[in-house]
């Protein structure tokens, strides 16, 4: 059996051109038309997102599953709805932990307000949401 390099080579071959990507998607059970296969190919080649907006049940999520299978990538599904903002999709701040940090700094007698303020937005207080969390989280 092949290793990770063989898998990467297979994924690269599957997306070498729109027709090969279309065939690879069809092999997963997804049947794209020529336009969608071309758009997906260009999104991959240009390292850009492919935004799909249609009615429920037309296959947007199925395409994402098929693309993840073909490219051997992890699929992170984010349900979008009116009112969702970046912090809900990407990150949030651990407010209770920030407050504890402030109290501990006050107890320790920290006087440098600027340094204390900067420390509140340190990565250790960041809660990664699905998109920012990435693979395996």
């Amino acid at each position: 059996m092949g290793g990770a390099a063989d898998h990467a080579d297979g994924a690269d071959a599957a997306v070498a051109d729109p027709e090969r990507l279309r065939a690879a998607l069809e092999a997963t059970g997804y049947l794209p038309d020529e336009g969608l296969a071309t758009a997906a190919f260009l999104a991959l080649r240009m390292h850009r997102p492919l935004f799909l907006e249609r009615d429920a049940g037309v296959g947007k999520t199925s395409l994402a599953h098929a693309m993840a299978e073909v490219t051997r990538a992890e699929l992170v599904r984010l349900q979008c709805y009116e009112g969702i903002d970046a912090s809900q999709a990407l990150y949030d701040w651990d407010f209770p932990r920030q407050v504890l940090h402030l109290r501990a700094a006050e107890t320790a007698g920290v006087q440098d307000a600027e340094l204390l303020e900067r420390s509140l937005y340190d990565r250790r207080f960041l809660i990664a949401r699905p998109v920012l969390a990435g693979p395996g989280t």
Side-chain angles (χ1 to χ4, degrees):
M1 283 279 146
D6 293 333
H7 290 298
D9 291 342
D12 289 343
V15 297
D17 59 57
E19 190 52 44
R20 285 189 191 174
L21 177 57
R22 182 177 180 179
L25 290 170
E26 287 177 357
T28 71
Y30 187 85
L31 304 174
D33 64 22
E34 183 180 347
L36 186 55
T38 300
F41 168 77
L42 291 172
L44 288 170
R45 279 290 175 234
M46 297 172 69
H47 302 283
R48 297 286 184 252
L50 178 61
F51 292 104
L52 303 171
E53 184 178 37
R54 295 288 310 261
D55 294 332
V58 298
K60 298 179 300 292
T61 302
S62 295
L63 173 61
H65 281 282
M67 290 289 292
E69 186 176 332
V70 166
T71 61
R72 295 176 177 84
E74 179 183 12
L75 175 65
V76 176
R77 185 171 188 263
L78 175 66
Q79 185 67 41
C80 295
Y81 54 88
E82 182 112 10
I84 192 170
D85 63 18
S87 70
Q88 292 165 315
L90 301 172
Y91 65 89
D92 206 352
W93 293 105
D94 190 343
F95 181 71
R97 192 167 175 214
Q98 288 171 313
V99 170
L100 286 173
H101 177 71
L102 286 172
R103 289 187 180 156
E106 181 181 41
T107 301
V110 173
Q111 299 293 319
D112 189 343
E114 186 177 320
L115 178 65
L116 184 56
E117 185 177 341
R118 276 195 316 259
S119 73
L120 286 176
Y121 297 99
D122 189 84
R123 189 159 183 82
R124 65 189 158 150
F125 298 116
L126 193 67
I127 300 171
R129 297 291 183 219
V131 175
L132 184 62
T137 56

